Each structure stands twice: as structure tokens, then as C-alpha cells.
């Protein structure tokens, strides 16, 4: 071989051998950082075995005072052992520990025998047989491979491993295959084998890290969702507790009003009625006070925003008095949506408006028929409920100046509710009171404006 060709051969051999050493060191560092990745330990061991095996053939090694080729022949068996261990670990094949120990001891025995019998042709035959057995074991491992790698990766990996092992077999007879050239293939086969293994290991570790990050992100989102659900549940529980406490307090107030003030008014009314006609004014006042008290109590009843339920309660209170006055009732209340904002103060405003309208009908209109209507209606494009109370009484001039406070108070209450009140009437044509209530009430409304009517 010419000096130039020998120089290129030495350079390529040195580069390949140093690459094997670098792979072994990097794999060792990776395994020290991640002890659970046993495949890195096998990669480091295989890199070291391939590095030592391929030192033979370098100029500086040949200049050493001892015959490295003798030791190099013994390193074939640890190389085969490490390569098969790396393949098994990477393919996900669980190899029993006793079998690993047995193969390791066999490689040491064969290595020692190769060292002692170096120079004999039998050592090459045994070495070639060991490589062939290793190829068969590699095929067996491929058939037992788990789901750690894809079929394509398994095919490529097994092919490259087979090429690397075949390169060592060729090198056993390199002198006979190309005499005088001293070209060794095992360093390049080892770089290809271990380099591809390292690439796949790195690829799978990065894929695992990415999958772990996605899993952590998904878990984080689930934790946030769970926290939001817990907060919502806690808020709902707190709302239920508050609602229950309000209900208990409402029931207590209703009971106190009924048993206290209500009982006193009933007793006073009974006493005034026993005194005869001289107490007519007192009787009327007491009846009005008692009715006002009952309306206030009705407003405390939970209606859950249902206007139809509120109107039914009002009808229950006033129908007996209307019939005593000779006034029939026509009920035309449709099934309408609930008003979420209709709480106890708002319900009292609605009842007071209706109460004022009924009182005017009973006291001044001489009506014989009274109709209640409730349905959906739009006002300037806004959805709402239209509550209408109409009588067939004598009516009045609605355009005349307002003398009393009744209509003014009704308008103030409607404004406090965010609604609108219209009183339509003509002499001889009866009176119609129309209260429009919004489905969604604007923020910032002050119910105190309506409370002024109670003073």
C-alpha cells in the first residue's frame, strides 16, 4: 500500500475509533444523569468494547512494546456480548438475568481461550462461529421485540446491527480477503451501529419528554378545570346556604308579623265591628291595614321569579272581597318566562301597583267585571312581560291633571322596577292599568325610589 493510501486508512481508522470512544463517554454521562435508562449503560459498554476492539491496526498501537493483537482477539467476545445486550435493551426484550450472566461468563472464557490460542486457525473458526451465533440471537431478539420501536425502526436497526457484526467477521479473515491492504471494516461498522443506536435513543428520549410535557399540560388543564369546578361547587353551596338562611329568616319574619301585628289587627277589627256603625271608619281603616299587611307577607313568599305565581297569590287575597263587592274576575294569565331579578322588594312593588289599581276599581269605578292578563310583550324592542288589569267601570279622564298620589306612587314603583306604567281610561269606558316588566333589568336601578310610596 502506498504511503498516501496508508495515511488515509490510518486517518479513517483513527476517526472511527475516536468516534466510538466519544459515543461511549456521552452514553456514560447520560446514564449517570438518568440511571433508570439502562439502554444508555449498554450503549456505553458497547462503545467501550468496540473502541478497544478496533485499537488494533493503528500505527501508535502497533508501536507498543507488547502485541496488542493478542488482547484484541479476546475483545471480540465482550463486543458481541455488549452488542447483543444493547439490542435486547433497545428492542424491549426482557432477558433473564441468569442467561445474561451465563453469556457474559461464556464470553470471558472464550476471550481467555482466544488469547491463549492466538495464532491458531481454530481461534478464527471459533470467532466466526460466535459471530454467526450472535447473528442468530439478533434475529431471535427481533422476533421477540416489544412495542418500544416501530416495525420500520426495528428492521433498519437489525439490518445495521447485522452489518456491524458481519464487518467483524470479515475482519477475521481480512488478510486473506485483501492481502497487503490491511483494511478493517469493523471500526466503520461499529460507528454505524452505535451511532444509529444513539440517534434512536435520543429520538425516543425526546419523544418521551415531549409526551410527558403534553401529559403535564393536560394534567394542568384538568387541575385548573377541577379547581374551577370546585370553586363553582363551593359558590353554589354557599349560595344554597345563603338561600336557606334567607328562607328561614323570611319564615321567621312572616310568622312574627302574622302572629304579632296580624293578630293585633284582627283583634282590633273584631272589637271595632262589635261597636256598631259608629266605628265604620275605624273598621275600614283596620281592614285596609290588614289587607296591606297580608300583601306585604305575600311578597315575602318565595316565587322564584314566577310572575304567574305572584298574581295567583294576589288573586287569592282579593277575590273574596271583589265578589262581595259584586265584581266578577276574568283570569287570562299565560305561561310566561321567569324574571330572575324578581326578589321580595320587587314583588312588593308589583303587588302594591296591583293593589292600588284594585282599590280604585272597588272604590270608584262601579265596575262589575275585572280582568287580569299577563303575556309576553316587546317595548321599544326589549322583551318583557305585560301585566294588565282592566275593569268595565265608569272610567275617568286620564288626560286630566293628577290630583291624588295613587297614580304617582304607582309610576314611581314601576320606574324602580325598570318597567313602565300606563293607565288608560275614558269616561264611561272603564280603566286599564298596564304594567310592563323587563325580562332583564338594567344594572344600577334603585328600589328606594319605590319605597318612598310606602311613607
Amino acid at each position: 500500500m502506498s504511503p498516501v493510501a496508508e495515511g488515509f486508512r490510518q486517518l479513517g481508522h483513527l476517526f472511527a475509533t475516536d468516534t466510538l470512544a466519544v459515543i461511549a463517554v456521552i452514553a456514560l454521562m447520560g446514564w449517570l444523569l438518568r440511571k433508570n435508562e439502562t439502554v444508555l449503560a449498554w450503549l456505553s459498554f458497547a462503545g467501550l468494547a468496540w473502541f478497544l476492539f478496533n485499537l488494533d491496526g493503528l500505527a501508535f498501537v502497533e508501536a507498543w512494546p507488547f502485541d496488542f493483537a493478542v488482547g484484541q482477539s479476546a475483545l471480540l467476545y465482550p463486543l458481541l456480548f455488549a452488542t447483543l445486550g444493547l439490542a435486547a435493551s433497545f428492542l424491549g426484550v426482557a432477558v433473564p438475568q441468569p442467561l445474561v450472566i451465563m453469556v457474559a461468563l461464556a464470553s470471558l472464557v472464550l476471550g481467555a481461550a482466544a488469547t491463549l490460542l492466538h495464532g491458531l486457525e481454530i481461534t478464527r473458526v471459533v470467532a466466526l462461529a460466535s459471530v454467526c451465533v450472535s447473528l442468530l440471537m439478533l434475529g431471535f431478539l427481533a422476533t421477540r421485540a416489544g412495542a418500544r420501536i416501530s416495525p420500520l425502526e426495528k428492521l433498519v436497526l437489525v439490518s445495521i446491527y447485522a452489518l456491524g457484526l458481519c464487518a467483524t467477521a470479515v475482519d477475521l479473515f481480512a488478510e486473506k480477503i485483501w492481502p497487503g491492504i490491511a483494511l478493517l471494516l469493523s471500526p466503520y461498522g461499529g460507528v454505524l451501529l452505535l451511532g444509529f443506536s444513539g440517534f434512536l435513543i435520543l429520538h425516543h428520549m425526546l419523544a418521551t419528554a415531549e409526551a410527558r410535557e403534553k401529559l403535564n399540560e393536560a394534567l394542568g388543564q384538568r387541575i385548573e378545570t377541577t379547581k374551577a369546578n370546585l370553586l363553582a361547587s363551593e359558590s353554589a353551596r354557599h349560595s344554597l346556604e345563603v338561600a336557606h338562611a334567607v328562607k328561614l329568616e323570611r319564615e321567621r319574619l312572616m310568622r312574627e308579623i302574622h302572629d304579632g301585628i296580624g293578630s293585633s289587627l284582627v283583634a282590633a277589627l273584631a272589637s271595632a265591628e262589635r261597636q256598631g256603625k259608629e266605628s265604620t271608619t275605624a273598621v275600614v281603616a283596620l281592614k285596609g291595614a290588614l289587607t296591606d299587611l297580608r300583601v306585604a307577607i305575600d311578597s315575602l313568599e318565595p316565587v322564584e321569579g314566577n310572575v304567574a305565581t305572584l298574581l295567583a297569590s294576589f288573586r287569592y287575597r282579593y277575590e273574596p272581597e271583589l265578589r262581595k263587592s259584586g265584581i266578577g274576575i276574568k283570569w287570562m294569565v299565560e305561561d310566561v318566562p321567569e324574571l330572575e331579578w324578581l326578589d321580595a322588594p320587587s314583588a312588593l312593588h308589583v303587588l302594591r301597583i296591583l293593589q292600588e289599581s284594585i282599590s280604585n276599581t272597588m272604590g270608584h269605578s262601579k265596575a262589575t267585571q275585572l280582568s287580569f292578563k299577563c303575556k309576553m310583550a316587546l317595548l321599544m324592542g326589549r322583551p318583557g312581560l305585560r301585566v294588565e288589569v282592566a275593569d268595565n267601570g265608569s272610567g275617568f279622564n286620564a288626560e286630566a291633571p293628577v290630583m291624588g298620589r295613587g297614580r304617582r306612587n304607582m309610576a314611581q314603583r314601576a320606574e324602580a322596577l325598570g318597567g313602565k306604567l300606563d293607565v288608560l281610561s275614558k269616561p264611561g269606558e272603564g280603566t286599564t292599568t298596564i304594567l310592563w316588566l323587563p325580562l332583564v333589568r338594567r344594572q344600577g336601578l334603585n328600589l328606594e325610589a319605590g319605597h318612598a310610596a310606602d311613607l
Side-chain angles (χ1 to χ4, degrees):
M1 179 181 294
S2 66
V4 175
E6 177 63 17
F8 277 109
R9 187 192 72 80
Q10 285 286 331
L11 184 62
H13 196 128
L14 179 62
F15 175 78
T17 306
D18 290 344
T19 303
L20 294 171
V22 170
I23 293 175
V25 172
I26 293 177
L28 178 62
M29 293 175 62
W31 178 72
L32 292 176
L33 292 175
R34 298 181 62 85
K35 295 292 186 63
N36 58 327
E37 297 288 347
T38 55
V39 67
L40 291 175
W42 278 107
L43 180 61
S44 177
F45 178 34
L48 177 63
W50 280 86
F51 167 73
L52 294 176
F53 179 78
N54 289 286
L55 283 177
D56 185 33
L58 294 175
F60 70 88
V61 173
E62 294 176 354
W64 286 358
F66 60 91
D67 186 4
F68 185 83
V70 176
Q72 188 265 351
S73 62
L75 291 172
L76 172 66
Y77 304 99
L79 179 148
L80 297 177
F81 172 71
T83 303
L84 291 176
L86 175 62
S89 177
F90 197 89
L91 292 172
V93 179
V95 181
Q97 187 174 2
L99 180 61
V100 175
I101 296 175
M102 183 177 67
V103 175
L105 291 175
S107 67
L108 293 176
V109 171
L110 289 173
T115 303
L116 295 175
L117 299 176
H118 181 69
L120 299 179
E121 192 65 25
I122 188 63
T123 58
R124 293 183 178 181
V125 175
V126 173
L128 180 60
S130 300
V131 173
C132 294
V133 171
S134 299
L135 288 171
L136 292 175
M137 293 182 66
L138 179 64
F140 173 76
L141 293 175
T143 61
R144 302 293 299 274
R148 179 171 181 174
I149 61 176
S150 65
L152 179 60
E153 288 177 333
K154 181 175 70 173
L155 176 63
V156 175
L157 183 129
V158 171
S159 300
I160 291 177
Y161 272 49
L163 287 175
L165 293 177
C166 288
T168 60
V170 171
D171 288 350
L172 294 174
F173 302 92
E175 295 178 358
K176 295 183 178 181
I177 296 176
W178 33 69
I181 299 179
L183 178 63
L184 298 178
L185 298 180
S186 58
Y188 309 102
V191 170
L192 180 64
L193 186 153
L194 299 180
F196 183 72
S197 299
F199 169 76
L200 286 184
I201 292 172
L202 180 61
H203 171 71
H204 280 274
M205 291 182 66
L206 292 178
T208 302
E210 183 179 0
R212 187 180 294 112
E213 290 177 359
K214 291 182 179 180
L215 179 61
N216 290 336
E217 182 179 355
L219 289 176
Q221 292 178 352
R222 290 180 61 182
I223 290 173
E224 291 299 325
T225 302
T226 304
K227 288 173 60 178
N229 291 338
L230 288 175
L231 290 176
S233 177
E234 180 64 19
S235 177
R237 185 186 65 81
H238 180 69
S239 299
L240 288 175
E241 290 179 352
V242 172
H244 182 66
V246 170
K247 179 182 178 182
L248 294 178
E249 184 64 14
R250 183 189 294 120
E251 291 176 351
R252 187 188 68 80
L253 289 175
M254 291 170 59
R255 185 169 57 251
E256 293 297 329
I257 292 173
H258 181 273
D259 296 343
I261 302 174
S263 297
S264 299
L265 287 175
V266 170
L269 179 59
S271 176
E273 288 177 340
R274 286 196 298 269
Q275 293 179 13
K277 297 181 179 180
E278 296 179 358
S279 303
T280 300
T281 303
V283 170
V284 172
L286 288 172
K287 285 184 177 180
L290 190 58
T291 300
D292 289 344
L293 180 62
R294 287 170 176 169
V295 169
I297 293 176
D298 289 341
S299 70
L300 294 176
E301 288 286 352
V303 295
E304 305 297 338
N306 195 320
V307 176
T309 302
L310 189 66
L311 295 178
S313 176
F314 183 81
R315 176 186 178 183
Y316 170 77
R317 288 296 183 191
Y318 271 90
E319 187 172 10
E321 295 186 24
L322 289 170
R323 295 199 181 278
K324 285 182 182 179
S325 301
I327 301 175
I329 296 179
K330 190 175 183 180
W331 189 258
M332 293 176 286
V333 176
E334 299 179 3
D335 187 12
V336 294
E338 296 179 354
L339 303 179
E340 295 183 1
W341 53 266
L342 188 64
D343 52 11
S346 300
L348 181 59
H349 281 321
V350 175
L351 292 176
R352 290 299 190 203
I353 292 173
L354 298 177
Q355 183 184 11
E356 182 67 24
S357 178
I358 296 298
S359 298
N360 291 335
T361 298
M362 295 175 62
H364 309 293
S365 69
K366 300 178 182 180
T368 59
Q369 187 73 31
L370 187 67
S371 65
F372 284 86
K373 297 180 181 179
C374 181
K375 61 181 181 179
M376 289 286 296
L378 294 175
L379 179 63
M380 300 179 64
R382 293 181 63 197
L385 305 183
R386 174 188 172 107
V387 181
E388 180 180 311
V389 181
D391 63 47
N392 62 350
S394 58
F396 63 95
N397 185 7
E399 297 180 357
V402 179
M403 301 301 294
R405 296 184 57 188
R407 288 168 58 189
R408 187 180 301 111
N409 290 343
M410 293 167 68
Q412 289 178 356
R413 292 182 185 277
E415 182 180 356
L417 293 170
K420 188 176 184 299
L421 180 73
D422 290 314
V423 179
L424 309 176
S425 183
K426 290 183 179 180
E429 297 184 7
T431 303
T432 301
T433 301
I434 301 173
L435 173 63
W436 180 86
L437 301 172
L439 284 183
V440 179
R441 190 166 64 180
R442 292 191 178 98
Q443 299 294 328
L445 294 175
N446 186 6
L447 295 181
E448 295 299 327
H451 288 315
D454 294 328
L455 301 178

